[in-house]
Amino acid sequence: EEPVVDETSVDIEKNALNQLTLRPVAGYGLVGTSSKKVRYAEKGTGHIYEINLETGAEEQLSITTTARTVQAFFSPSAQSVVLVQETDAEPVAIFAQISSSSQTNLETTSLPQGIGNIVLKNDTTVHYLKATTTGSTGVAYNVFSGTETILFTSPFTDITTLWEGDTLYVYNKPAPALIGGLFKVVEK
């Protein structure tokens, strides 16, 4: 039996600011730098959709259900994605490459447990933060080789990372009455 194709399109000529979808969105990414397409992951199912911003046409790219998806992080080209699933214990992150053909299954790879502040630097490398007994560690993880490269360590346990191109910033989250700080990570 043929899969049902949801022929949804958006009136992109209506206003300067238009709603692109009625589905709940876990995360999105622009397809490359010169494309007029955006991809997003549906919250709850993890299904990947693509919207053509010139025509308003929406197409479902993946039929793989990743239950309880709460966040999605796309690579700069939107060819890869990390989906974060909510579980009873701690969130689980999985990596997938996206096929450009519609209605396909995603081949997924589980990422290490206990990671956060996830950023896909390219289609094969995931940067993330993980807590240690002495603070936090920033890691570059090659999904295909399974190798971790430590980018930095911090004595702070409750931090957020900002990956801006090749520059990395870290800021701590102090109590409301305390002063926080923004730090630039430099190589020694």
Side-chain angles (χ1 to χ4, degrees):
E1 200 173 298
E2 291 290 318
V4 177
V5 177
D6 186 8
E7 300 258 349
T8 306
S9 64
V10 178
D11 181 6
I12 58 171
E13 300 296 324
K14 189 175 174 183
N15 296 313
L17 184 62
N18 295 304
Q19 183 172 355
L20 297 179
T21 184
L22 296 174
R23 292 182 177 86
V25 176
Y28 69 93
L30 298 173
V31 181
T33 55
S34 60
S35 171
K36 299 287 186 189
K37 295 179 181 179
V38 65
R39 288 185 178 164
Y40 72 91
E42 183 179 29
K43 195 177 268 190
T45 65
H47 292 161
I48 308 295
Y49 292 87
E50 182 174 275
I51 299 173
N52 184 320
L53 298 176
E54 290 178 332
T55 66
E58 182 178 63
E59 178 182 15
Q60 184 176 357
L61 296 182
S62 77
I63 57 173
T64 303
T65 299
T66 307
R68 299 173 76 177
T69 296
V70 292
Q71 289 181 300
F73 303 96
F74 285 83
S75 65
S77 68
Q79 300 300 317
S80 299
V81 65
V82 172
L83 300 171
V84 179
Q85 297 174 279
E86 182 180 65
T87 67
D88 293 333
E90 64 180 16
V92 173
I94 60 169
F95 171 87
Q97 287 194 305
I98 302 166
S99 172
S100 58
S101 58
S102 64
Q103 304 285 323
T104 59
N105 287 313
L106 292 177
E107 291 185 30
T108 60
T109 304
S110 294
L111 295 177
Q113 293 288 325
I115 65 173
N117 286 265
I118 300 166
V119 173
L120 273 96
K121 292 303 283 182
N122 55 47
D123 290 326
T124 61
T125 305
V126 181
H127 286 192
Y128 55 80
L129 191 65
K130 68 180 181 179
T132 65
T133 56
T134 59
S136 302
T137 302
V139 176
Y141 181 76
N142 184 300
V143 176
F144 297 113
S145 68
T147 56
E148 285 187 339
T149 304
I150 294 177
L151 301 173
F152 71 92
T153 58
S154 167
F156 300 120
T157 56
D158 197 9
I159 62 174
T160 299
T161 53
L162 302 171
W163 310 90
E164 297 296 327
D166 292 333
T167 306
L168 172 62
Y169 299 96
V170 175
Y171 65 91
N172 61 331
K173 301 179 205 172
L178 296 177
I179 297 173
L182 176 66
F183 305 92
K184 180 178 178 181
V185 177
V186 294
E187 290 187 45
K188 285 187 173 184

